Amino acid sequence: MKICVLPGDGIGPEITAEAVRVLKAVDSRFEVEEALIGGCAVDASGDPYPESTRKLAREADAILLGAVGGPRWDSAPRGQRPESGLLAIRKDLCLFANLRPAVLYPELAESSTLKPEVVAGLDILIVRELTGDIYFGQPRGIETRTIDGKRQRFGFNTMHYSEAEIVRIGRVAFEAARKRDKNVCSVDKMNVLETTQLWRDVMTELSNEYPDVVLTHMLVDNAAMQLVRAPKQFDVIVTGNMFGDILSDEASMLTGSIGMLPSASLNEQGKGLYEPSHGSAPDIAGKDIANPLAAILSASMMLRYTFSLQAEADRIENAVRKVLAQGYRTADIYGPGTKKTGTRAMGDAVLAAL
Ligand code: NAD
């Protein structure tokens, strides 16, 4: 059970340190090794995803990443930007499935911009295909063409999915649903786009292999609306790269607190890169005020999806619920009547609650 830890930049080292403490507390068998990624790797070697990190990441069973980036590197050439390291590791490990839960703990219902009764107890999982769709389809570009007798610029992209790509992401969604409430909502735009008509057909065929899971379909425009109207109707949402990009951000904002949201990106072997949904928060780095819960919950996703340690994952999630119920809050989720807690102290509270 080898874990490669990539703390990265900004608050990354502070929050991953807490997640590692929690991981070691729930299971002493984990072997943890750290490496550089992002800005700190550029500083050390000129490469945001150095060969030594690549080797470790390939050998590990799972990767825990903090965050990368910061103003110091913003003017560097693209290949030496911290974010290039992130894209490189995703590509290197063929991480095609992005899992983003949006969970709103009842104690934090006031943090959402929606009415508490609409969002309290929200627990959805968005499964987004990450390596295909219009984001990667060829041909693409901006060209000058003659259209209607007029020379003008013309922009174009190509949306495509193969049957195998749809089956692959569909399986991730159905398997995830089996560990949850056994409902999958597949989101497409089949009334307009042939690619997504195929998406719907393949999902329907695949659902025959999962008779214990209920499959429904929804058009993406309706899904965007339902997510703010009645988000608790969803369990697992599965969709393509572009629709997933938009819907997962919309869903994460339902919870109102970016410091609470974990994510997982998986490949076909079940190897995963686990990271908080937020960035490196340079404005609060090194001050012991960042919220480590997204990183800790990312570690719990790692136990669930790579190591199949369901009971241990439940323990971590229950511990997080408990510290919130006890009133511990980092600055980003602090409100009147609660206890303001630093990064390290929040880690201590979770350890105590395990
Ligand atoms: P950000 O998520 O880092 O920060 C946005 C706001 O949320 C800031 O006010 C920050 O203080 C706050 N915040 C974020 N995480 C928090 C936490 N755990 N606890 C408390 N508050 C938290 O986004 P940004 O400011 O747009 O980006 C900062 C840097 O992070 C940039 O260089 C960007 O490129 C990078 N970034 C990296 C990733 C990644 O590594 N996956 C993702 C997004 C942005």
Side-chain angles (χ1 to χ4, degrees), residues 11 67-70 83 86 258-259 275 278-284 290-291 332:
I11 60 171
V68 302
E83 292 76 8
L86 210 51
I258 197 161
E275 57 178 329
H278 59 71
S280 60
D283 51 332
I284 58 168
N291 187 345
D332 56 311

Side-chain angles (χ1 to χ4, degrees), residues 263-287:
S263 81
S265 304
L266 307 175
N267 72 9
E268 275 181 276
Q269 290 73 44
K271 180 170 188 155
L273 172 80
Y274 298 86
E275 57 178 329
S277 298
H278 59 71
S280 60
D283 51 332
I284 58 168
K287 296 183 181 160

